[in-house]
Amino acid sequence: MSDNALDSMQADPEVHKKTTKIVSSNHLVSERSAELSELEYALIMAGNAFNRWMVRCMMAAGAKDMTAIEVSLLHHVNHRERKKKLADICFVLNIEDTHVVTYALKKLVKAGLVQSEKAGKELLFYTTQAGQDLCMKYKEVRERCLIEVQVESGIQNEAIGEAAQLLRNASGLYDTAARAAASL
């Protein structure tokens, strides 16, 4: 940041609010969209915090040694109590590396939380009663530790819904950019 920018920020706090960008990699900031760099840093921070939360919430629910991907997969496999194909799981969760998902599902099967059955050439995955029970314990911990804090903090559900929509839109933006980068 130039000395002139620092001088103007000190003279007028409103300028500071408009010009300060919180980014992780200053060299990536684009003059056309510094806000995208801000979003990327927020995604890094939020992603790491969310992964840590899922693991700790699952620990509090009684399952030790689960990774964030395993927690995500368990909840998705349990979603709507339907059997799911590996390809569909990867598609819905936007995970490109099927090997990571396959390995995590094998661990969940070994832990007795998920079962698989063959349907033609496909394997279908679904939660066991133990997996369903663990998901409900997770929900209880989530209500007590996360939802109560959200309500007390005053963060409105509408704002959370808008943020979710922005993140889904950003996901599409990054998917499109990834396809473009792959063709370079």
Side-chain angles (χ1 to χ4, degrees):
M1 190 172 295
S2 71
D3 289 334
N4 289 344
L6 287 173
D7 291 340
S8 67
M9 287 185 334
Q10 291 167 350
D12 184 359
E14 288 301 311
V15 172
H16 176 69
K17 289 179 186 174
K18 294 176 187 172
T19 59
T20 302
K21 304 294 181 199
I22 300 172
V23 300
S24 68
S25 302
N26 189 13
H27 63 280
L28 295 178
V29 177
S30 169
E31 290 182 18
R32 296 187 300 169
S33 181
E35 292 78 8
L36 196 55
S37 293
E38 283 187 290
L39 176 67
E40 289 168 353
Y41 184 48
L43 285 170
I44 292 166
M45 290 175 39
N48 289 326
F50 182 64
N51 287 340
R52 183 173 47 253
W53 154 251
M54 286 191 299
V55 168
R56 300 250 172 89
C57 185
M58 191 55 82
M59 287 174 81
K64 312 290 186 225
D65 301 324
M66 283 183 71
T67 65
I69 190 77
E70 292 163 7
V71 175
S72 295
L73 289 171
L74 177 62
H75 287 302
H76 180 65
V77 169
N78 193 54
H79 180 61
R80 296 193 177 155
E81 299 178 13
R82 293 184 191 154
K83 296 175 183 177
K84 295 172 181 71
K85 295 187 271 184
L86 175 65
D88 294 337
I89 293 168
C90 292
F91 178 74
V92 169
L93 296 179
N94 201 16
I95 301 173
E96 191 172 0
D97 192 345
T98 58
H99 299 294
V100 170
V101 175
T102 300
Y103 178 72
L105 286 169
K106 284 180 182 178
K107 285 179 66 179
L108 292 171
V109 168
K110 186 176 179 181
L113 301 171
V114 170
Q115 284 186 323
S116 65
E117 71 179 36
K118 203 128 169 108
K121 292 183 178 183
E122 295 281 352
L123 266 182
L124 300 177
F125 296 91
Y126 57 97
T127 49
T128 63
Q129 187 61 53
Q132 293 169 15
D133 292 344
L134 184 57
C135 286
M136 293 313 294
K137 287 178 190 171
Y138 182 101
K139 180 182 179 181
E140 291 169 15
V141 174
R142 184 177 182 273
E143 283 290 326
R144 194 170 67 232
C145 295
L146 181 65
I147 303 301
E148 285 183 20
V149 171
Q150 180 243 325
V151 170
E152 290 171 4
S153 73
I155 298 174
Q156 300 296 313
N157 288 330
E158 182 178 293
I160 292 172
E162 290 170 2
Q165 182 62 48
L166 174 65
L167 291 173
R168 285 189 298 273
N169 290 341
S171 175
L173 175 71
Y174 284 102
D175 282 340
T176 299
R179 283 189 294 279
S183 69
L184 293 179

